[in-house]
Amino acid sequence: MIRVGVVGRIASGDEQGRYVLIKELPDVPPSYLILTAADSDFQTAGGDSWVEDEASLQQFFDEARWVVAWRQEGEEKQS
């Protein structure tokens, strides 16, 4: 399941080992910004992609073959 607004680590697929954060944009229907970075604070070697809807977001994940370990609610980030 893709989680919006939650940091995750890409466990396998393209960009394995990097971090990902999905932001829902206030469009109608919502579109999504996909942020990636080398660190969980998104300060190092980052990138971004935009998709137009939820179906496109799922397709993006499928094409990248991403399996993401999402941070659990209340979990502290590790240094």
Side-chain angles (χ1 to χ4, degrees), residues 23-24 36 45 60 64:
K23 291 190 175 187
E24 184 176 280
T36 59
F60 185 97

PDB file of all heavy atoms in Angstrom, residues 23-24 36 45 60 64:
ATOM      1  N   LYS A  23       3.669  13.392  -1.631  1.00  0.00           N
ATOM      2  CA  LYS A  23       2.853  14.523  -1.183  1.00  0.00           C
ATOM      3  C   LYS A  23       1.638  14.629  -2.094  1.00  0.00           C
ATOM      4  O   LYS A  23       1.765  14.596  -3.318  1.00  0.00           O
ATOM      5  CB  LYS A  23       3.649  15.819  -1.240  1.00  0.00           C
ATOM      6  CG  LYS A  23       4.761  15.873  -0.216  1.00  0.00           C
ATOM      7  CD  LYS A  23       5.357  17.241  -0.145  1.00  0.00           C
ATOM      8  CE  LYS A  23       6.382  17.311   0.975  1.00  0.00           C
ATOM      9  NZ  LYS A  23       6.856  18.664   1.176  1.00  0.00           N
ATOM     10  N   GLU A  24       0.465  14.736  -1.471  1.00  0.00           N
ATOM     11  CA  GLU A  24      -0.769  14.927  -2.224  1.00  0.00           C
ATOM     12  C   GLU A  24      -0.946  16.420  -2.479  1.00  0.00           C
ATOM     13  O   GLU A  24      -0.893  17.222  -1.550  1.00  0.00           O
ATOM     14  CB  GLU A  24      -1.955  14.377  -1.442  1.00  0.00           C
ATOM     15  CG  GLU A  24      -3.252  14.451  -2.203  1.00  0.00           C
ATOM     16  CD  GLU A  24      -4.389  13.813  -1.434  1.00  0.00           C
ATOM     17  OE1 GLU A  24      -4.487  12.568  -1.454  1.00  0.00           O
ATOM     18  OE2 GLU A  24      -5.149  14.565  -0.789  1.00  0.00           O
ATOM     19  N   THR A  36      12.321  11.879  -3.767  1.00  0.00           N
ATOM     20  CA  THR A  36      13.299  10.870  -3.370  1.00  0.00           C
ATOM     21  C   THR A  36      14.578  11.568  -2.932  1.00  0.00           C
ATOM     22  O   THR A  36      14.871  12.680  -3.366  1.00  0.00           O
ATOM     23  CB  THR A  36      13.630   9.890  -4.514  1.00  0.00           C
ATOM     24  OG1 THR A  36      14.156  10.620  -5.622  1.00  0.00           O
ATOM     25  CG2 THR A  36      12.409   9.088  -4.937  1.00  0.00           C
ATOM     26  N   ALA A  45      21.103  14.725  -2.411  1.00  0.00           N
ATOM     27  CA  ALA A  45      20.906  14.024  -3.690  1.00  0.00           C
ATOM     28  C   ALA A  45      19.446  13.656  -3.930  1.00  0.00           C
ATOM     29  O   ALA A  45      19.099  12.495  -4.059  1.00  0.00           O
ATOM     30  CB  ALA A  45      21.796  12.790  -3.754  1.00  0.00           C
ATOM     31  N   PHE A  60       3.414   4.294 -11.451  1.00  0.00           N
ATOM     32  CA  PHE A  60       4.785   4.732 -11.205  1.00  0.00           C
ATOM     33  C   PHE A  60       5.508   3.728 -10.310  1.00  0.00           C
ATOM     34  O   PHE A  60       6.619   3.304 -10.593  1.00  0.00           O
ATOM     35  CB  PHE A  60       4.769   6.124 -10.565  1.00  0.00           C
ATOM     36  CG  PHE A  60       6.127   6.738 -10.377  1.00  0.00           C
ATOM     37  CD1 PHE A  60       6.632   7.627 -11.306  1.00  0.00           C
ATOM     38  CD2 PHE A  60       6.903   6.437  -9.256  1.00  0.00           C
ATOM     39  CE1 PHE A  60       7.894   8.208 -11.131  1.00  0.00           C
ATOM     40  CE2 PHE A  60       8.157   7.003  -9.073  1.00  0.00           C
ATOM     41  CZ  PHE A  60       8.654   7.894 -10.012  1.00  0.00           C
ATOM     42  N   ALA A  64       8.620   1.166 -11.413  1.00  0.00           N
ATOM     43  CA  ALA A  64       9.898   1.251 -10.698  1.00  0.00           C
ATOM     44  C   ALA A  64      10.185  -0.017  -9.888  1.00  0.00           C
ATOM     45  O   ALA A  64      11.279  -0.175  -9.363  1.00  0.00           O
ATOM     46  CB  ALA A  64       9.902   2.469  -9.774  1.00  0.00           C
TER      47      ALA A  64
END
